[in-house]
Amino acid sequence: MWKTRNLKFFMIITALSALLSACTNVLPGAQGADPFEKLNRKTHEFNKNLDRNFLGPVSSRYSSVLPDPIENSVNNFASNLRLPGKVANNILQLDLYAAVQNTSRFFVNSTVGIAGFFDPSGKLGITVIETDFGETLEGWGVGEGAYIELPLLGPSNLRDSVGRVVDAVLLDPVDYILVQPEANYRTAADLSSLLQTRDALRDQINSLFNESADSYAQARLIYLQNRRFKLEDVSSETYFDPYEDFE
Amino acid sequence: MFLVKLILTRTKTLNKSILKRRDLLIGFATSFLTSSAFAFSADDATLLVGKVVGEINSVISSGKSEQAMIVDFEKIFAKYADVNIIARSALGPPARSASSKQLKKFTTTFRGYMARKYGKQFRTFIGGEINVEKTTDRGKFFEVSALVTSSLYFTPFDVTFRVSDRSGQNLFFDIIIEGISLLSSERVEIGALLDARKGSIDRLTNDLEKLG
């Protein structure tokens, strides 16, 4: 299935990310190594303006126009098509339990759930087990590397940015199969699902951007601590012990 | 004559310092005795968080106005959280050079700020509940994790309290929601607010009255 060119690209990226993350140390307290702070802060301003002027208003419009059941169906459709990519990562992580659960979910929702628009699996308790190539890399021992705020996509780190590229380019079986116009429907569904998520998180996002004294530093903290929590990555001490100063 | 005077004052100060040291020793002994008699255990930590969670649950199901809830949250925070240590840690290194009066005023203001800021967040828990799940020994403190189920979110989420007795009482000093630490977050926030006021704790304290 994989062309040798793809395999080479894959190996180069993996090696590169391992090398880069070995160069950057993680500071205590989840401040993270932030050698790109200057550039990151510029990207943050860009993202903030984009959210304020475009994503925020459009997503609230989207959610107020469409009835919730339709929004949910579109979101189900988009997230169902993301499952094969997750299964690929489950296999790379040798997590067969998750691979089986995500695969069953995909088959049940694609058939009984009519191309994934409905979620009968969820009602049976077969929920999605989230994963991505960033997590796969973490499992392979790659450190998180420097903090990066990506344009449009928001907070990330070196390892997870590489993960995003690999997930989108190499580890998306659906992308190999879909042809036009279905591929376009999928892109549209992905965008809709993004709008729905943005609207669901509006209180949190607005308070982050408008109420925190330094939204860049706050976003960085939230991303790094939450990501480590999700990956159960306890190798780096994330939290402060406030009593240590007095002992 | 001068020499005698000198020796006299010397012995006086010496006596004073001995007295102080004795007081200190007695203090240490009592605190050691009481702490060993009532050794802080995982059960104590679980019990403490159980109480906190119970009180939060009853506030969010009380149907009171947001303003009244915030007053209740401030009481809970004052009773069960190590507010002194959280406030000091939020200030960071500048806390060391602050006068005790400055620190005291900042701590009280900070308590209200926290209650307003996070009390508002608890609004999203209305109709849900918090249940204590498990307690982990982390060496110097205990970690008590709880699960929040709320009608607003599809999946329950994790809230972990870090509990310690290192300031003499069993109190929590951090709340970690889905991995995100309130203490870390406030260190960033207060640090940025302080920077914006050129490091003036007095100005920060003044402005904090209106924030949160």
Side-chain angles (χ1 to χ4, degrees), chain A residues 213 218 225-226 239 241 243 247, chain B residues 82 166 178-179 181 185 189:
Chain A
Q218 209 56 260
Q225 288 194 339
N226 181 250
Y239 306 112
D241 180 355
Y243 297 94
E247 287 167 351
Chain B
D82 200 341
R166 280 187 282 169
E178 286 284 298
S181 149
S185 176
E189 184 68 11

Side-chain angles (χ1 to χ4, degrees), chain A residues 3 9 16 29 50 94 106 115 124 130 159 161 172-173 201 206:
Chain A
K3 294 175 189 137
F9 177 61
L16 205 67
L50 185 81
L94 303 177
F106 180 69
L124 297 171
E130 288 295 344
R159 182 189 62 211
S161 304
D172 185 18
L201 295 173
N206 291 344

Side-chain angles (χ1 to χ4, degrees), chain A residues 111-127:
Chain A
T111 53
V112 185
I114 313 168
F117 281 105
F118 300 94
D119 180 17
S121 308
K123 291 191 179 71
L124 297 171
I126 312 172
T127 50

Side-chain angles (χ1 to χ4, degrees), chain B:
Chain B
M1 195 57 201
F2 174 74
L3 206 69
V4 175
K5 231 180 186 177
L6 190 79
I7 290 167
L8 270 172
T9 48
R10 272 276 166 95
T11 44
K12 253 187 196 164
T13 49
L14 205 68
N15 277 336
K16 251 188 199 166
S17 68
I18 286 171
L19 206 70
K20 263 189 187 161
R21 206 175 295 161
R22 208 179 58 188
D23 282 347
L24 221 62
L25 274 172
I26 290 169
F28 270 131
T30 24
S31 75
F32 177 75
L33 281 173
T34 48
S35 69
S36 59
F38 304 100
F40 183 50
S41 69
D43 288 343
D44 295 330
T46 317
L47 208 70
L48 177 92
V49 175
K51 276 191 209 157
V52 177
V53 162
E55 291 195 19
I56 294 174
N57 276 336
S58 66
V59 173
I60 53 182
S61 62
S62 67
K64 286 183 186 173
S65 71
E66 187 172 288
Q67 217 47 46
M69 281 192 193
I70 285 170
V71 173
D72 288 347
F73 284 132
E74 186 168 350
K75 280 183 201 150
I76 297 173
F77 192 55
K79 195 164 148 197
Y80 297 109
D82 200 341
V83 183
N84 286 329
I85 210 91
I86 297 172
R88 252 196 105 101
S89 180
L91 268 182
R96 271 178 234 147
S97 50
S99 72
S100 63
K101 202 179 147 201
Q102 272 179 320
L103 220 51
K104 207 176 155 192
K105 186 144 189 279
F106 171 76
T107 307
T108 322
T109 317
F110 179 77
R111 199 178 68 197
Y113 155 83
M114 293 292 276
R116 286 191 298 279
K117 185 169 177 181
Y118 294 96
K120 275 188 228 155
Q121 302 280 328
F122 280 118
R123 193 181 47 197
T124 58
F125 295 178
I126 293 176
E129 58 172 29
I130 314 170
N131 292 304
V132 175
E133 297 275 303
K134 68 164 196 277
T135 303
T136 327
D137 190 344
R138 290 270 179 219
K140 287 184 175 172
F141 54 87
F142 289 102
E143 228 171 52
V144 185
S145 32
L147 212 59
V148 182
T149 26
S150 157
S151 48
L152 227 81
Y153 302 99
F154 298 109
T155 43
F157 59 93
D158 184 278
V159 175
T160 296
F161 291 79
R162 289 192 156 193
V163 184
S164 171
D165 66 344
R166 280 187 282 169
S167 54
Q169 250 183 305
N170 301 348
L171 296 166
F172 74 82
F173 62 91
D174 199 0
I175 304 178
I176 300 168
I177 302 170
E178 286 284 298
I180 304 156
S181 149
L182 182 142
L183 182 69
S184 305
S185 176
E186 284 313 316
R187 282 176 65 103
V188 168
E189 184 68 11
I190 297 295
L193 289 170
L194 201 58
D195 278 351
R197 285 157 188 78
K198 297 193 171 64
S200 160
I201 295 176
D202 293 332
R203 276 179 63 199
L204 172 72
T205 307
N206 256 332
D207 293 348
L208 214 55
E209 306 255 19
K210 289 161 256 137
L211 292 172

Side-chain angles (χ1 to χ4, degrees), chain A residues 63-134:
Chain A
S63 291
S64 61
V65 168
L66 276 189
D68 284 353
I70 294 185
E71 273 184 75
N72 290 338
S73 291
V74 173
N75 183 40
N76 285 341
F77 175 76
S79 74
N80 189 52
L81 290 182
R82 285 196 284 266
L83 282 169
K86 295 191 198 305
V87 174
N89 278 302
N90 293 146
I91 293 167
L92 288 173
Q93 293 160 19
L94 303 177
D95 186 353
L96 295 185
Y97 174 83
V100 169
Q101 179 157 335
N102 283 339
T103 307
S104 329
R105 184 179 163 81
F106 180 69
F107 280 114
V108 171
N109 281 359
S110 301
T111 53
V112 185
I114 313 168
F117 281 105
F118 300 94
D119 180 17
S121 308
K123 291 191 179 71
L124 297 171
I126 312 172
T127 50
V128 58
I129 300 180
E130 288 295 344
T131 191
D132 49 56
F133 194 67

